Amino acid sequence: DYTEQSPYHGAIKGVQIIGLLPGSPAWRSGLRPGDIMTSVNQQTVTNVEEVKQSASKDSHQLLAHILRGPGGAFIVVK
């Protein structure tokens, strides 16, 4: 959890996922509210506009690096 009380607050660069539609491609791929997306298609992202730009380069799938809790993972969204 990366709330303001977290020792990591302000130290992590990325885009926090606030909400997802259940059943959406992102939800089915495993993304969840609270995840922090640090890169999309191997491009570092720090705001929503960068996520959109990186995602639009490959319309078939999106490779996202996320932080969740104490760990990280790569998730492919199709």
Side-chain angles (χ1 to χ4, degrees):
D1 193 7
Y2 300 102
T3 64
E4 289 184 13
Q5 291 75 32
S6 169
Y8 299 109
H9 181 75
I12 296 172
K13 305 292 184 207
V15 177
Q16 187 169 26
I17 297 172
I18 302 300
L20 293 167
L21 292 173
S24 69
W27 180 269
R28 288 192 314 269
S29 296
L31 290 174
R32 295 294 179 262
D35 289 349
I36 297 176
M37 196 176 300
T38 60
S39 71
V40 173
N41 294 339
Q42 299 181 333
Q43 299 294 314
T44 301
V45 294
T46 59
N47 60 56
V48 174
E49 198 56 42
E50 290 175 350
V51 172
K52 289 178 184 179
Q53 288 174 355
S54 294
S56 69
K57 293 177 184 175
D58 184 354
S59 61
H60 301 291
Q61 65 183 17
L62 178 145
L63 175 64
H65 180 260
I66 63 149
L67 299 176
R68 179 183 296 158
F74 284 98
I75 293 182
V76 176
V77 180
K78 291 185 177 188

